[in-house]
Amino acid sequence: MQVRTPAIICAMRAHGEHGAIVRALTPDHGLLAGYVRGGRSRRLRPVLVAGNLVEAEFRARTAEQLPGLTVELSHSRAGLLAEPLAAAAIDWLSSLTAASLAEGQPHARLYEALDAVLAAIEYAPSARGWAAAAVRYELMLMADLGYALDLSACAATGARDDLAYVSPKSGGAVSRAAGEPYAARLLPLPAFLVDPSADSDWSDIVDGMRLTGHFLARDILVDQRADALDARQRLVDRIGRLA
C-alpha cells in the first residue's frame, strides 16, 4: 500500500513512547489510519491537530499492516483552538467523523463537506455562519451510512408543505397540521433543514442539533463509539448559552 493524498486530521492517540496513531479523512480513500513516528514531538504536535489539512503519505508492505504515515502541513487551524466555540465545533466534527466511518471506504462528498464546514468555522464572521452547516454535515454523514432522514414529505399525509416535526421513531417528517396533536412526542424540524435558503436563529440551531443528536445516539454512536458524544455535548452546551 502506498497512498499520497490530501487529508483532514480527525483523531490522534499516543502510541509507544514517542509515536502516535492518526486517523485522517481523505477524498478518495475515506478514513485512513497510520502510525506517525515521533508524532508527539514538538515539531509534529502542532501538525497533528484535529481539523488541520495535510498532505499525507501512507505506506504499508501488506494490507493487514498498520501503515506508516508521514505528513506535511498544508493549512493549519490550530489557532482556532483558542476560541472555545470554534474549538468545540472542530473537536465534535472530527470526533464524529473518526468514530463513525469505517476505514478505507470512500466518502468523497463527506470530505468536501467537512472541509467546507471547517473553512466556515475559520472564516465566517460569526458562529451563526457555520452552525447550520455543522448540523447539515451530521445529516449528510447519517445519510452516507444508510440512516437518512426523510424530510421531503409528511409521513402521515404525504403533504410537502409546512413540515414542522420529525418522528423520533421513523425519522420521517410530519406536517404542522398532522403533528400538532402529538407535538410533545415529536422532534421540531427547523426550516433551514428543509429549505437551504431559510434563515436560522440560535433556537433553530438548537432544534436542529436536538434532532440530529437523537438519531446519532440511537443509530450510529453506540457501544464504544458513544464516548464521542461527550464532544458533542460540549458544543451543544456552548450553543445553548448563546441561544
Side-chain angles (χ1 to χ4, degrees):
M1 173 190 176
Q2 182 174 350
V3 174
R4 187 172 179 87
T5 176
I8 300 170
I9 302 294
C10 291
M12 183 193 82
R13 64 179 175 87
H15 185 80
E17 189 173 351
H18 303 291
I21 294 177
V22 173
R23 305 183 80 192
L25 185 63
T26 70
D28 298 322
H29 304 277
L31 192 71
L32 294 177
Y35 173 74
V36 180
R37 187 182 299 275
R40 288 183 288 157
S41 67
R42 184 178 300 178
R43 180 179 68 87
L44 285 177
R45 274 201 310 267
V47 176
L48 301 178
V49 170
N52 278 1
L53 184 63
V54 300
E55 188 69 21
E57 186 168 6
F58 297 85
R59 287 176 176 264
R61 293 180 179 179
T62 67
E64 294 77 22
Q65 181 184 25
L66 178 68
L69 171 60
T70 57
V71 295
E72 299 172 12
L73 182 63
S74 299
H75 181 72
S76 175
R77 297 187 172 105
L80 295 172
L81 301 184
E83 302 175 22
L85 188 57
I90 293 173
D91 184 28
W92 160 240
L93 293 171
S94 56
S95 297
L96 169 65
T97 303
S100 302
L101 303 185
E103 291 179 14
Q105 302 297 316
H107 292 280
R109 73 172 192 154
L110 283 183
Y111 176 88
E112 295 173 359
L114 180 58
D115 191 41
V117 176
L118 293 174
I121 293 171
E122 186 173 10
Y123 296 116
S126 71
R128 282 182 58 189
W130 55 257
V135 178
R136 292 191 186 100
Y137 178 77
E138 294 175 331
L139 281 178
M140 183 183 293
L141 182 141
M142 288 192 291
D144 263 35
L145 296 179
Y147 295 99
L149 304 185
D150 184 359
L151 306 181
S152 61
C154 176
T157 66
R160 295 182 177 273
D161 298 325
D162 201 21
L163 302 176
Y165 306 100
V166 172
S167 166
K169 293 184 178 180
S170 70
V174 180
S175 69
R176 192 177 308 278
E180 277 186 348
Y182 316 98
R185 287 180 280 171
L186 299 174
L187 296 166
L189 174 59
F192 76 89
L193 292 181
V194 179
D195 179 4
S197 65
D199 291 332
S200 56
D201 58 25
W202 284 117
S203 63
D204 294 323
I205 301 299
V206 170
D207 285 343
M209 296 198 76
R210 179 184 171 199
L211 171 64
T212 52
H214 170 80
F215 293 101
L216 286 169
R218 189 191 74 176
D219 299 326
I220 296 175
L221 297 176
V222 296
D223 300 327
Q224 296 93 335
R225 294 184 288 181
D227 289 345
L229 290 170
D230 292 341
R232 190 178 200 274
Q233 191 57 51
R234 287 192 290 272
L235 175 61
V236 170
D237 289 345
R238 289 193 169 107
I239 287 179
R241 286 195 287 270
L242 290 174

